[in-house]
């Protein structure tokens, strides 16, 4: 039986999954009529080697032509391991070993999924979208799988959490803190502490959050 906290998390993810599906239908992950569908073995041929048909990589199942950034992805380059495959996990973990260059993102945190979403935005902006690769995120029919919906839900929840954290930070701006062996801990506030500009300073107070107390202006 799920605990209340765990049940709440899954209910939240279910809600986010529904929102992600709606966002997709509204165009956020809109399909393109001319996209190409790859199988992993076919995508593996696009590593930029002599005789290869191109230089592609995939992220969350979406395939991009990174030929214009060849110096980063060609054989021997720092990010060559990303070429010809979906190595979504490594974009977050930085594990470029064969065991780390995989597409399994099922255990990543909300913040890590937001990092992945930032990378996705980067490739959407800077490289040409080619198509999709079948497997974890897209089926043989080219349609999203439940795992992609789950990943989208995590991203949606992460965005919501960031928005809530920003609102809370505006209401309870963090103070400055320092520690030294001679003076111990010191807390003080300013009109820009915590990166929040305001016309008041306040005094340090302790804000208690579940499992994480921190100092703020008040």
């Amino acid at each position: 039986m799920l605990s209340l906290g765990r049940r709440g998390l899954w209910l939240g993810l279910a809600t986010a999954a529904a929102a992600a599906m709606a966002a997709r239908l509204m165009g956020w992950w809109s399909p393109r009529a001319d996209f190409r569908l790859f199988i992993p073995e076919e995508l593996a041929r696009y590593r930029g080697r002599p005789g290869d048909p191109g230089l592609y990589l995939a992220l969350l199942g979406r395939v991009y032509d990174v030929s214009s950034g060849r110096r980063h992805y060609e054989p021997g380059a720092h990010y060559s391991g990303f070429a010809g495959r979906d190595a979504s996990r490594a974009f977050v973990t930085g594990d470029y070993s064969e065991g780390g260059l995989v597409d399994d993102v099922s255990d990543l945190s909300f913040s890590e999924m937001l990092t992945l979403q930032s990378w996705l935005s980067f490739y959407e902006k800077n490289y040409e979208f080619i198509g999709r690769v079948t497997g974890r995120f897209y089926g043989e029919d080219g349609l999203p799988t439940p795992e992609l919906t789950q990943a989208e839900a995590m991203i949606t929840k992460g965005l919501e959490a960031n928005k809530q954290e920003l609102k809370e930070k505006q209401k309870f701006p963090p103070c400055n803190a320092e520690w030294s062996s001679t003076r111990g801990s010191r807390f003080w506030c300013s009109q820009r502490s915590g990166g929040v500009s305001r016309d008041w300073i306040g005094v340090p107070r302790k804000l208690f959050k579940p499992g994480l107390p921190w100092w703020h202006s008040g």
Side-chain angles (χ1 to χ4, degrees):
M1 182 176 181
L2 291 176
S3 66
L4 289 176
R6 191 170 180 80
R7 183 184 299 146
L9 172 62
W10 283 109
L11 285 173
L13 284 176
T15 301
M21 181 66 74
R24 186 194 299 146
L25 293 174
M26 292 173 63
W28 180 33
W29 292 75
S30 59
R32 306 179 189 183
D34 58 344
F35 78 83
R36 180 177 172 185
L37 198 59
F38 295 82
I39 60 173
E41 293 78 10
E42 182 184 11
L43 183 60
R45 297 174 51 228
Y46 288 77
R47 292 185 173 172
R49 299 164 299 196
D52 281 359
L55 182 56
Y56 296 171
L57 63 73
L59 179 58
L60 289 181
R62 297 173 65 82
V63 179
Y64 299 92
D65 183 345
V66 293
S67 300
S68 61
R70 173 172 293 275
R71 64 191 181 91
H72 300 296
Y73 304 102
E74 65 185 353
H78 186 65
Y79 299 113
S80 61
F82 289 96
R85 69 175 96 192
D86 187 330
S88 295
R89 186 180 186 84
F91 280 94
V92 175
T93 65
D95 181 357
Y96 300 157
S97 68
E98 282 300 308
L101 290 164
V102 295
D103 59 359
D104 184 5
V105 299
S106 59
D107 63 341
L108 297 184
S109 67
F110 293 132
S111 61
E112 288 171 328
M113 290 303 296
L114 286 183
T115 298
L116 204 56
Q117 193 250 1
S118 295
W119 277 111
L120 188 64
S121 297
F122 169 80
Y123 284 99
E124 283 286 324
K125 179 180 179 181
N126 294 282
Y127 294 102
E128 181 185 359
F129 168 79
I130 298 297
R132 299 169 177 173
V133 59
T134 62
R136 187 178 298 274
F137 301 112
Y138 291 99
E140 294 180 358
D141 55 4
L143 295 177
T145 65
E147 288 206 41
L148 179 59
T149 300
Q150 180 74 5
E152 293 171 354
M154 290 287 286
I155 291 172
T156 301
K157 286 291 290 183
L159 291 170
E160 291 173 353
N162 269 10
K163 185 177 180 180
Q164 182 60 35
E165 184 177 337
L166 183 59
K167 286 176 63 177
E168 190 171 82
K169 192 175 181 181
Q170 293 291 332
K171 186 176 181 180
F172 303 110
C175 290
N176 302 302
E178 69 175 11
W179 182 89
S180 69
S181 58
T182 55
R183 300 175 59 183
S185 298
R186 182 170 79 96
F187 299 93
W188 76 102
C189 304
S190 68
Q191 290 182 323
R192 295 185 60 85
S193 58
V196 179
S197 297
R198 51 198 185 276
D199 57 6
W200 53 276
I201 296 177
V203 296
R205 296 186 181 183
K206 209 167 197 178
L207 176 66
F208 286 92
K209 301 174 69 175
L212 186 64
W214 53 287
W215 290 93
H216 72 93
S217 297

